[in-house]
Amino acid sequence: MESNLDIQEYPDSLSLLQKQIQQSIEEHTLVINSLTNYLAEIQQLATLVVKTLKTGNKILLMGNGGSAADAQHIYFARSNSHFETILRCFSDLEIR
């Protein structure tokens, strides 16, 4: 993609942008790495979701602002083939 913006004219802005990008990547990496501390809780939640759906019950999602957008993404991911594949994998597990 071609741009009319000459980066050389804004070296301070470029440096600041690079620092912000690097900081954002580092923060996201910390969050992702911390998820290993919650594997049991994640598995418990996944099991509950599968059990709820397998028994014909509903999962209600709601939110306000950004949380509403997250709820919509989760809802529409439910109809996504990737979600169905994951659900089938968990369905093979013995769920009590």
Side-chain angles (χ1 to χ4, degrees):
M1 183 158 86
E2 192 173 323
S3 171
N4 292 332
L5 179 64
D6 184 4
I7 297 296
Q8 303 305 322
E9 293 179 30
Y10 306 97
D12 293 337
S13 296
L14 182 59
S15 177
L16 177 62
L17 178 61
Q18 288 172 334
K19 288 177 184 176
Q20 289 173 333
I21 292 170
Q22 182 64 35
Q23 180 181 357
S24 180
I25 291 170
E26 289 170 4
E27 289 172 0
H28 282 80
T29 301
L30 287 173
V31 170
I32 294 297
N33 289 338
S34 74
L35 290 176
T36 58
N37 298 324
Y38 301 98
L39 290 177
E41 291 86 351
I42 293 169
Q43 182 176 359
Q44 185 179 12
L45 178 61
T47 300
L48 181 60
V49 166
V50 171
K51 184 176 181 180
T52 300
L53 296 175
K54 281 180 74 172
T55 56
N57 292 304
K58 297 179 186 178
I59 298 173
L60 301 177
L61 304 166
M62 61 190 91
N64 184 24
S67 297
D70 290 341
Q72 288 176 334
H73 288 295
I74 294 167
Y75 173 80
F76 286 110
R78 168 69 175 89
S79 61
N80 185 310
S81 62
H82 296 296
F83 185 87
E84 293 298 327
T85 301
I86 293 168
L87 190 58
R88 278 194 303 278
C89 291
F90 277 107
S91 295
D92 291 341
L93 300 175
E94 183 179 335
I95 299 175
R96 302 183 197 286

